[in-house]
Amino acid sequence: MSKKDAIRAIVPLTSTPWPTLDPFLFCVHHNDHYPVANEKMGPDASLAGRNIGNDFSGKDGWSMYHGDTVPGFPRHPHAGFETVTIARKGFIDHSDSMGASARFGQGDVQWMTAGKGVVHSEAFPLLDRENPNTTELFQIWLNLPREDKKKDAYFTMFWNETIPRHLIKEGDEVVGEVAVIAGTLHGLNAPTPPPSSWAARDESNIAIWTLKLQPGASFTLPAANDETGRVLYFFEGDALTLEDVVMEPRHGAQVEGDAEVTLKNTGSTLAEVLVLQGRPIGEPVVQHGPFVGNYQGDIRQIMIDYQNTGFGGWPFDADAPVHPRDKGRFAIHADGREESPENPENAA
């Protein structure tokens, strides 16, 4: 197989969510250029003309989503899968039905196993009252094998400072880097995923990497194996080649997992690529909104469980709790353990 034959498909990233392969269910890129903040940590701008409570308009370069004062996603349930949230810019205030809470951002990653059910809120507080506020994040949904769909909910934090990075060099000059959020790359091991995650199994070959290339720089992704699916999302930059095949901006490529492929930034600005890789779970998937099972009966049972238990209830006064403006990055777990970037629990 030639290296060009390793490219199975190239598709535009014009709709959301982006296309994914088993074991990934969902991938969305939010990049909102909010204005200066008001006193309530929302946008200091008129909300007229927006469908408040369901605003995905992108009007003026930003959306409120399901938030009415602070942008974001007030309390909502998940079951049967995991969320990996890569908070590249801005901040996310997390609260959940386990009683846990967190503020993370500026490169941090939260990995949450919903398992048999959890309710959580994701608010995007705007903290700067003098300058515009940008909130950029990826949210990735990773499926769970059937035997793990009934495990207890769990989350872990990968603080930006603990995520290993492979530096791409030309001589002594650093021309790019790869952040290793999941998997291994050139001897670097990602932080430990949740214990019931598909990524916690060696045979899953899960990788989540974000790649940056300066103009003219190139990087070769190492081969995995023929059971591994791999999708590359070119989400930032003006020109990129994949094995001499030109990729237009905001396009994705499915490539063979058992082939090395080389990416080169042929443009004049920084190029960035998200890599999602993994061995398929290979089980039936039935999805109903935020609930994922193997069969339709699983969805009915999840809905009954949610109606009867609320997945543990909601221990907060607000549907979208927001932490104090001056609160730094932190996480408080369901058992009361507290951590911060200065005292992380999950270091590589």
Side-chain angles (χ1 to χ4, degrees):
M1 177 175 61
S2 72
K3 288 195 173 183
K4 285 189 178 180
D5 290 337
I7 304 170
R8 299 189 62 182
I10 295 179
V11 297
L13 303 177
T14 53
S15 61
T16 57
W18 292 343
T20 55
L21 297 175
D22 182 4
F24 297 96
L25 300 167
F26 176 96
C27 179
V28 66
H29 182 214
H30 294 296
N31 192 10
D32 292 282
H33 301 280
Y34 294 109
V36 297
N38 61 24
E39 70 280 0
K40 296 182 179 180
M41 290 180 275
D44 190 12
S46 172
L47 301 182
R50 295 178 182 272
N51 183 17
I52 295 303
N54 192 32
D55 172 36
F56 290 77
S57 66
K59 183 176 180 289
D60 301 324
W62 50 275
S63 299
M64 289 294 290
Y65 302 108
H66 297 312
D68 56 12
T69 302
V70 174
F73 298 86
R75 65 170 174 171
H76 57 280
H78 289 289
F81 64 100
E82 302 184 279
T83 57
V84 182
T85 305
I86 305 171
R88 289 165 51 86
K89 297 177 184 177
F91 296 92
I92 300 174
D93 280 4
H94 165 90
S95 305
D96 66 41
S97 55
M98 298 180 285
S101 60
R103 170 171 287 169
F104 62 99
Q106 306 298 343
D108 301 329
V109 176
Q110 185 197 66
W111 194 315
M112 186 180 74
T113 303
K116 64 184 181 183
V118 68
V119 179
H120 77 148
S121 166
E122 301 156 292
F124 306 157
L126 310 183
L127 304 184
D128 195 331
R129 300 201 62 185
E130 298 181 356
N131 301 290
N133 293 266
T134 295
T135 299
E136 182 190 0
L137 63 104
F138 289 108
Q139 186 161 101
I140 300 157
W141 292 10
L142 175 61
N143 200 9
L144 288 166
R146 183 168 183 80
E147 65 193 85
D148 291 325
K149 289 185 184 295
K150 290 299 182 181
K151 298 290 180 65
D152 290 337
Y154 183 96
F155 84 85
T156 189
M157 292 301 310
F158 301 169
W159 304 109
N160 180 50
E161 294 84 347
T162 70
I163 296 172
R165 287 170 168 81
H166 170 73
L167 300 182
I168 304 165
K169 294 185 176 182
E170 291 181 0
D172 293 332
E173 182 183 3
V174 175
V175 296
E177 69 172 33
V178 185
V180 184
I181 295 164
T184 62
L185 177 67
H186 294 325
L188 297 176
N189 296 315
T192 304
S196 297
S197 175
W198 180 238
R201 306 186 187 198
D202 291 340
E203 68 271 20
S204 73
N205 207 22
I206 292 291
I208 301 174
W209 302 329
T210 54
L211 167 66
K212 296 180 180 180
L213 290 173
Q214 296 292 339
S218 62
F219 180 71
T220 299
L221 293 174
N225 58 56
D226 61 2
E227 295 181 339
T228 298
R230 181 182 279 175
V231 180
L232 317 178
Y233 303 91
F234 174 35
F235 67 91
E236 187 69 40
D238 56 20
L240 186 77
T241 59
L242 174 62
E243 292 300 333
D244 297 326
V245 174
V246 175
M247 286 188 67
E248 298 293 330
R250 295 192 67 79
H251 276 65
Q254 180 185 350
V255 299
E256 298 288 354
D258 59 349
E260 290 185 347
V261 291
T262 299
L263 300 101
K264 183 174 182 179
N265 182 354
T266 50
S268 59
T269 62
L270 180 72
E272 297 196 70
V273 177
L274 171 69
V275 179
L276 297 184
Q277 167 189 297
R279 176 172 169 257
I281 294 173
E283 296 177 350
V285 175
V286 176
Q287 181 176 345
H288 181 78
F291 302 148
V292 177
N294 297 103
Y295 304 101
Q296 194 61 47
D298 299 333
I299 301 299
R300 289 194 293 270
Q301 187 60 54
I302 291 171
M303 296 176 73
I304 291 169
D305 292 344
Y306 179 48
Q307 183 177 21
N308 289 340
T309 70
F311 295 158
W314 189 248
F316 303 96
D317 293 333
D319 284 344
V322 179
H323 309 306
R325 186 185 298 272
D326 59 356
K327 181 73 173 175
R329 295 146 63 209
F330 77 98
I332 298 176
H333 296 264
D335 61 4
R337 291 174 294 121
E338 185 166 359
E339 61 170 312
S340 70
E342 293 76 25
N343 295 288
E345 290 195 338
N346 198 340

